[in-house]
Amino acid sequence: MKIAMLTSGGDCPGLNAVIRAAVLRGDRTYEDEFVGFLDGWRGAIDDAVVPVPRRRVRGLARLGGTILGTSRANPFHDDGDGVALVRETMERHEIDAIIAIGGDGTLYTANRLATQGIPVVGVPKTVDNDLAATDYTFGFDTAVEIATESLDRLRMTGESHHRCMVAEVMGRSVGWIALHSGMASGAHVICIPEFPLSIDEICDYVQQTWDRKRAPLVVVAEGFTPRDAPPGFRDYELDEFGRPRLGGIAQTLAPIIEERVGIETRATVLGHIQRGGEPTGYDRVLATRFGMAAVDLVHRQGAGRMVALRGTAIVDVPLTEAIDNPKRVTRDRWDEAVTLFG
Ligand code: F6P
């Protein structure tokens, strides 16, 4: 078979490991041939297709980013006839099936194409860990490692200067990176979208920490808004896809904490640093298993389905399970974290 791969949406450590594993499995087991659509669905729309032979994927498991490039382009944007555009490119290159590696937006597009007869299978990708269809995705572990190391550093400089440090991590609509990195680094308050603390509660935890003669460390997910936020508290521009361009909640909170608690407070936004760099060993293995399983799924005529992790097993589930089904931090995980605050 001739299989096209694409990586779409925000990049994520482990994408290259998926590509490598898919090519190795396809080459060794099925004698498949591989090509890549460049920059996500844009490559399928604009006919930007490159060969991905076995020699091209050598040593890729440890490489961050994606050799295929990525974008948030969508073949159905502006009422485009996505099915016709993708079908034409597939016919021109005699492509039999597509492996789409991406988050909920990408998988939504993949499902729309699959329901109209395009043979697409999905590989879930998100640093935010926000897809309920899979227990974990690759990239999350790496992001948590990077965030934890950064929080340890912030904590150290905070202690030296007797300051409160507020660190913003990724997490558009869920707080998994904040929860895990905050717990790992011993943060004194963790602010996540699912269980929004009030400004008073945040300041109380900071005060309690300060009273114990510790330098408070506050971790905040980028998608957090305090429960009692006044109107206009957050004011974001929209990106070209109509999504709020997040970032900046740490800078908003820091002066409020400084004024209310009376401790010098500094804000740091970790931002895209959490998405760059080499994947952890865990993410390399998970991405590799996903890549191999995606090729097997193509050969089982698995159009409209995606690979997923359930416990320690790689399974496949309908793409629809990944759509509009965010995995939020659960009450029991939040209650555990709150025990450690202050
Ligand atoms: O969706 C993953 C994510 O990393 C979010 O946490 C973040 O808000 C967003 O992507 C950033 O997107 P961009 O790379 O377009 O700035």
Side-chain angles (χ1 to χ4, degrees):
M1 283 178 106
K2 188 168 181 182
I3 301 174
M5 299 174 288
L6 65 90
T7 52
S8 170
D11 72 348
C12 183
L15 288 170
N16 283 325
V18 176
I19 295 167
R20 168 181 172 270
V23 172
L24 293 187
R25 175 68 127 212
D27 180 71
R28 289 234 171 114
T29 312
Y30 305 104
E31 294 183 13
D32 291 330
E33 186 187 344
F34 287 86
V35 292
F37 290 144
L38 294 181
D39 297 336
W41 294 111
R42 184 173 291 149
I45 300 165
D46 296 344
D47 194 15
V49 182
V50 293
V52 187
R54 201 170 153 187
R55 64 174 186 285
R56 179 69 185 90
V57 301
R58 255 186 229 144
L60 272 195
R62 64 176 178 275
L63 192 70
T66 161
I67 58 161
L68 296 177
T70 185
S71 73
R72 297 192 195 277
N74 165 4
F76 297 101
H77 192 56
D78 285 342
D79 294 329
D81 187 351
V83 178
L85 288 167
V86 174
R87 204 188 295 280
E88 274 165 36
T89 305
M90 288 181 76
E91 279 171 7
R92 206 170 297 126
H93 295 272
E94 299 179 330
I95 292 164
D96 300 301
I98 298 174
I99 297 177
I101 312 163
D104 56 347
T106 309
L107 300 172
Y108 176 81
T109 300
N111 185 56
R112 213 167 147 183
L113 291 167
T115 52
Q116 293 181 64
I118 307 265
V120 191
V121 307
V123 175
K125 167 243 62 160
T126 143
V127 287
D128 292 355
N129 193 34
D130 58 358
L131 289 175
T134 181
D135 287 355
Y136 283 100
T137 49
F138 57 88
F140 172 65
D141 187 63
T142 306
V144 169
E145 278 303 309
I146 295 168
T148 302
E149 198 212 315
S150 308
L151 294 176
D152 288 347
R153 289 170 189 270
L154 288 173
R155 202 170 163 166
M156 227 172 265
T157 172
E159 293 282 356
S160 309
H161 287 264
H162 315 292
R163 286 173 174 155
C164 172
M165 305 302 279
V166 182
E168 180 177 318
V169 299
M170 280 188 166
R172 173 162 283 273
S173 49
V174 301
W176 289 107
I177 297 179
L179 187 85
H180 279 224
S181 62
M183 258 186 153
S185 61
H188 303 102
V189 194
I190 301 172
C191 305
I192 61 173
E194 294 93 326
F195 297 97
L197 296 170
S198 67
I199 295 175
D200 278 349
E201 285 168 331
I202 297 169
C203 291
D204 277 354
Y205 286 127
V206 168
Q207 184 70 59
Q208 285 171 29
T209 311
W210 188 246
D211 291 346
R212 293 192 296 111
K213 306 209 178 327
R214 306 301 304 275
L217 174 64
V218 180
V219 180
V220 54
E222 61 182 352
F224 170 78
T225 304
R227 200 168 62 236
D228 52 350
F233 184 82
R234 303 197 74 175
D235 186 15
Y236 293 114
E237 290 171 16
L238 299 184
D239 67 16
E240 57 175 319
F241 301 99
R243 307 185 327 158
R245 203 181 295 281
L246 296 181
I249 182 67
Q251 282 107 329
T252 306
L253 279 180
I256 297 174
I257 294 172
E258 183 162 298
E259 197 204 315
R260 293 219 191 166
V261 190
I263 311 172
E264 193 182 11
T265 303
R266 293 281 195 270
T268 302
V269 180
L270 298 189
H272 294 82
I273 286 172
Q274 295 157 94
R275 285 206 331 225
E278 295 177 351
T280 58
Y282 178 88
D283 280 340
R284 293 180 204 188
V285 172
L286 180 57
T288 299
R289 296 182 72 202
F290 273 175
M292 293 192 291
V295 172
D296 292 342
L297 188 56
V298 166
H299 284 273
R300 288 202 310 274
Q301 317 297 331
R305 301 183 70 79
M306 61 168 233
V307 297
L309 180 72
R310 293 281 161 84
T312 56
I314 307 291
V315 299
D316 58 85
V317 299
L319 279 167
T320 45
E321 275 194 30
I323 298 166
D324 293 332
N325 190 13
K327 181 171 56 213
R328 303 188 201 283
V329 171
T330 49
R331 164 60 67 181
D332 58 324
R333 293 298 312 272
W334 173 245
D335 289 344
E336 286 168 3
V338 172
T339 312
L340 306 168
F341 291 179

